[in-house]
């Protein structure tokens, strides 16, 4: 209840606090009489009516006292508090978090969206707006925006800047009204990107090769050297001290077919080498482009996918031998140390995988601007990454899709990774005897 001018009180029905609040509203008309007794009369709790029984006295003439009983009826009216007004207005915001990533692919944003949904950080946002290079989160208070920035710094490698603009200033009470802007820039490296590390950084990570593949982006960038299986993690601070860029975009991936493969069993690392991956197998492969099957042109390379590939398998990779790449560190490398092909992942039939997929993800409600037709393909890439990477799935809530019955035949099982039923959650369904949320009562 509102106690003028701006105090809100929480009062139970027929409580002393509510009685005092109601009597204060009669104070002006009770100056000439004396209040003897006051109490509530019962009303139906949802009627928006409060009835009070008042007993008053007044001296009329020659010391005679007149006593009378009145019933006063109050009508309860709904009114929004200032904070709720700002939420409903959608335009009134005091802080904005601008999340940006200067890449072609949105894989990091899809992963970030699932993390935000899991931790329910989108509930405090007045509005969420998706633009070309990222997402803007609008908040009613600076504390909620700061909480979002702290969450981003813990979950993805990024750097943040803060600025504020003075809106108004009251010189009498010395209060200031600011609008704050938090700019968070995520590192421009996504999963399945090939990068060329600066020489000093590669040396500090255990004498890794400069050409590495990004296998995962969580709070750090996970890199693997396809020549030696060395792995390393680069956090946000290390990246911004010595930045490096992606050499190829996902659109430049080409399809190869494995002609021959030879697993390397005993690989000796040099002095000062870092950790090696136990989940991958080093192998030497001969591959040929599926677009050049009528020629005899084959490429030889080393790969970390020896545990997945067999002769005749299709694999996606980057063709460095026939590419013109302009990169500061790549141009300074010895050309003899550059690989002809860097293989990224095994290729499966996308339509079959989509047909067998019996799970789904939740999405945030947001305003979309400048959406490309390429976004659906990128979202399918992200779903396939979840199927292939178990470590990535641990931070994402995956729901069973009851509306989708997977269609499968004996010829469909091509060995593509799948998500087990154990990892899926049941989506909450608010249905009851009325037939659905807000539906009319069902009668026969």
């Amino acid at each position: 209840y509102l106690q003028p001018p701006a105090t809100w009180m929480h009062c139970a029905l027929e409580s002393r606090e509510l009685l005092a609040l109601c009597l204060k509203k009669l104070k002006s008309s009770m100056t000439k009489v004396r209040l003897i007794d006051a109490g509530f009369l019962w009303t139906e709790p949802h009627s928006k009516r409060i009835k009070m029984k008042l007993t008053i006295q007044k001296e009329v003439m020659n010391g005679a006292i007149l006593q009378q009983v009145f019933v006063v009826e109050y009508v309860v009216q709904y009114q929004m508090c200032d904070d709720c007004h700002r939420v409903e207005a959608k335009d009134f915001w005091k802080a904005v978090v601008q999340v940006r990533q200067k890449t072609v692919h949105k894989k990091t944003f899809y992963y970030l969206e699932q993390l935000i949904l899991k931790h329910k950080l989108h509930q405090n946002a007045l509005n969420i707006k998706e633009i070309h290079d990222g997402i803007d989160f609008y908040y009613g208070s600076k504390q909620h925006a700061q909480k979002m920035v702290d969450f981003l710094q813990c979950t993805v490698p990024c750097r943040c800047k803060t600025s504020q603009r003075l809106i108004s200033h009251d010189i009498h009470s010395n209060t200031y009204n600011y609008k704050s802007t938090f700019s968070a820039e995520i590192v421009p490296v996504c999963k399945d990107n090939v990068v060329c590390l600066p020489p000093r950084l590669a040396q500090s990570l255990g004498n890794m090769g400069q050409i590495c593949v990004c296998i995962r982006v969580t709070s750090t960038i996970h890199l693997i050297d396809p020549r030696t299986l060395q792995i390393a993690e680069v956090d946000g601070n290390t990246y911004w001290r010595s930045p490096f860029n992606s050499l190829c975009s996902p659109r430049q991936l080409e399809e190869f077919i494995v002609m021959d493969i030879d697993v390397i069993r005993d690989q000796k690392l040099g002095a000062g080498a870092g950790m090696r991956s136990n989940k991958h197998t080093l192998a030497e492969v001969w591959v040929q482009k599926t677009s050049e099957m009528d020629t005899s042109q084959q490429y030889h390379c080393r790969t970390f996918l020896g545990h997945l590939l067999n002769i005749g398998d299709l694999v996606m990779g980057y063709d460095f031998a026939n590419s013109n790449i302009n990169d500061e560190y790549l141009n300074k490398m010895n050309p003899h140390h550059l690989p002809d092909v860097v293989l990224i992942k095994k290729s499966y039939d996308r339509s079959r995988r989509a047909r067998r997929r019996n799970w789904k993800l939740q999405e945030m409600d947001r305003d979309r601007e400048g959406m490309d037709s390429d976004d659906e393909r990128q979202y399918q890439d992200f779903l396939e990454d979840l199927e292939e990477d178990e470590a990535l799935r641990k931070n994402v809530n995956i729901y069973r899709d009851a509306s989708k019955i997977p269609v499968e035949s004996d010829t469909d099982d091509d060995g593509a990774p799948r998500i087990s039923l154990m990892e899926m959650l049941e989506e909450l369904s608010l249905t009851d005897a009325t037939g659905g949320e807000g539906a009319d009562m069902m009668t026969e």
Side-chain angles (χ1 to χ4, degrees), residues 222-246:
H222 297 253
L223 300 173
I224 187 168
D225 185 354
R227 289 175 57 253
T228 61
L229 285 191
Q230 267 188 255
I231 53 174
E233 295 182 15
V234 179
D235 60 5
N237 294 331
T238 307
Y239 176 86
W240 295 117
R241 278 199 302 270
S242 49
F244 50 87
N245 295 316
S246 172

Side-chain angles (χ1 to χ4, degrees), residues 205-206 208 223 228-232 269 272-278:
L205 295 175
M208 286 183 75
L223 300 173
T228 61
L229 285 191
Q230 267 188 255
I231 53 174
L269 296 178
M275 289 178 59
R276 289 188 65 191
S277 173
N278 297 323

Side-chain angles (χ1 to χ4, degrees), residues 10 43 109 116 150 160 179 212 216 265 282 310 348 388 403 411:
H10 184 77
T43 53
F109 280 113
I116 292 170
D150 294 341
C160 295
K179 275 193 174 182
C212 293
R216 193 181 306 120
R265 300 293 178 189
L282 192 64
N310 296 303
Y348 302 98
E388 293 166 8
S403 63
T411 58

Side-chain angles (χ1 to χ4, degrees), residues 371-399:
M371 298 292 287
D372 301 329
S373 57
D374 195 37
D375 286 346
E376 181 58 33
R377 184 186 65 82
Q378 294 183 11
Y379 189 66
Q380 292 298 323
D381 285 347
F382 173 67
L383 297 182
E384 291 173 5
D385 289 344
L386 284 180
E387 289 177 337
E388 293 166 8
D389 195 344
E390 187 178 350
L392 205 64
R393 292 200 297 268
K394 291 179 181 177
N395 300 323
V396 176
N397 283 344
I398 296 169
Y399 295 91

Side-chain angles (χ1 to χ4, degrees), residues 2 20 28 53 129 162 197 251 259 265 273 292 304 313 365 380 395 414 418 438:
L2 175 64
S28 59
K53 183 179 179 181
K129 202 171 186 179
T162 308
L197 301 179
R251 293 176 184 171
M259 308 303 289
R265 300 293 178 189
E292 297 178 350
F304 57 94
D313 284 348
D365 293 331
Q380 292 298 323
N395 300 323
D414 55 354
R418 303 170 66 175

Side-chain angles (χ1 to χ4, degrees), residues 144-396:
H144 288 150
Q146 186 64 56
K147 185 179 178 183
M148 181 67 177
V149 170
D150 294 341
F151 173 78
L152 287 173
Q153 289 178 325
C154 293
T155 51
V156 287
C158 64
R159 62 177 173 182
C160 295
K161 293 180 181 177
T162 308
S163 66
Q164 55 185 15
R165 182 162 58 98
L166 182 65
I167 304 300
S168 61
H169 171 214
D170 187 353
I171 59 173
H172 300 292
S173 60
N174 205 29
T175 56
Y176 295 81
N177 184 16
Y178 286 105
K179 275 193 174 182
S180 303
T181 302
F182 297 88
S183 175
E185 185 183 354
I186 304 175
V187 296
V189 177
C190 294
K191 185 182 186 303
D192 296 338
N193 282 166
V194 180
V195 298
C196 182
L197 301 179
R200 284 191 177 182
L201 179 62
Q203 188 178 6
S204 67
L205 295 175
N207 289 328
M208 286 183 75
Q210 287 183 247
I211 304 293
C212 293
V213 179
C214 175
I215 53 174
R216 193 181 306 120
V217 177
T218 52
S219 56
T220 56
I221 304 170
H222 297 253
L223 300 173
I224 187 168
D225 185 354
R227 289 175 57 253
T228 61
L229 285 191
Q230 267 188 255
I231 53 174
E233 295 182 15
V234 179
D235 60 5
N237 294 331
T238 307
Y239 176 86
W240 295 117
R241 278 199 302 270
S242 49
F244 50 87
N245 295 316
S246 172
L247 299 180
C248 307
S249 69
R251 293 176 184 171
Q252 294 171 283
L253 276 173
E254 297 195 47
E255 193 175 56
F256 296 86
I257 186 168
V258 179
M259 308 303 289
D260 193 14
I261 182 167
D262 184 19
V263 175
I264 300 174
R265 300 293 178 189
D266 300 320
Q267 165 72 10
K268 292 184 179 179
L269 296 178
M275 289 178 59
R276 289 188 65 191
S277 173
N278 297 323
K279 296 181 180 179
H280 301 87
T281 303
L282 192 64
E284 290 188 350
V285 290
W286 287 92
V287 293
Q288 186 173 7
K289 282 187 189 178
T290 52
S291 58
E292 297 178 350
M293 294 299 287
D294 53 343
T295 66
S296 59
Q297 177 65 46
Q298 291 188 4
Y299 303 93
H300 173 261
C301 65
R302 281 195 176 189
T303 180
F304 57 94
L305 300 173
H307 59 297
L308 292 176
L309 298 181
N310 296 303
I311 295 175
D313 284 348
L314 296 177
V315 61
M316 306 299 289
Y318 293 111
D319 180 9
F320 273 66
N322 302 311
S323 298
N324 183 14
I325 301 169
N326 185 18
D327 183 78
E328 177 187 358
Y329 303 111
L330 191 72
N331 296 338
K332 295 177 182 177
M333 284 183 64
N334 187 341
H336 299 292
H337 294 164
L338 291 178
D340 291 339
V341 172
V342 177
L343 302 180
I344 300 297
K345 60 182 179 179
K346 188 175 177 180
S347 177
Y348 302 98
D349 190 339
R350 170 165 284 186
S351 59
R352 283 184 186 175
R353 295 181 74 169
R355 208 164 45 235
R356 286 191 325 208
R357 193 172 292 137
N358 60 339
W359 52 274
K360 61 182 179 180
L361 301 175
Q362 288 185 335
E363 291 187 20
M364 289 190 299
D365 293 331
R366 58 188 184 271
D367 296 338
R368 288 179 164 91
E369 285 185 10
M371 298 292 287
D372 301 329
S373 57
D374 195 37
D375 286 346
E376 181 58 33
R377 184 186 65 82
Q378 294 183 11
Y379 189 66
Q380 292 298 323
D381 285 347
F382 173 67
L383 297 182
E384 291 173 5
D385 289 344
L386 284 180
E387 289 177 337
E388 293 166 8
D389 195 344
E390 187 178 350
L392 205 64
R393 292 200 297 268
K394 291 179 181 177
N395 300 323
V396 176

Side-chain angles (χ1 to χ4, degrees), residues 101 106-113 156 186 189-190 217:
Q101 187 183 31
K106 295 183 177 178
K107 278 185 183 180
T108 310
F109 280 113
Y110 290 131
Y111 173 65
L112 196 59
E113 177 186 19
V156 287
I186 304 175
V189 177
C190 294
V217 177

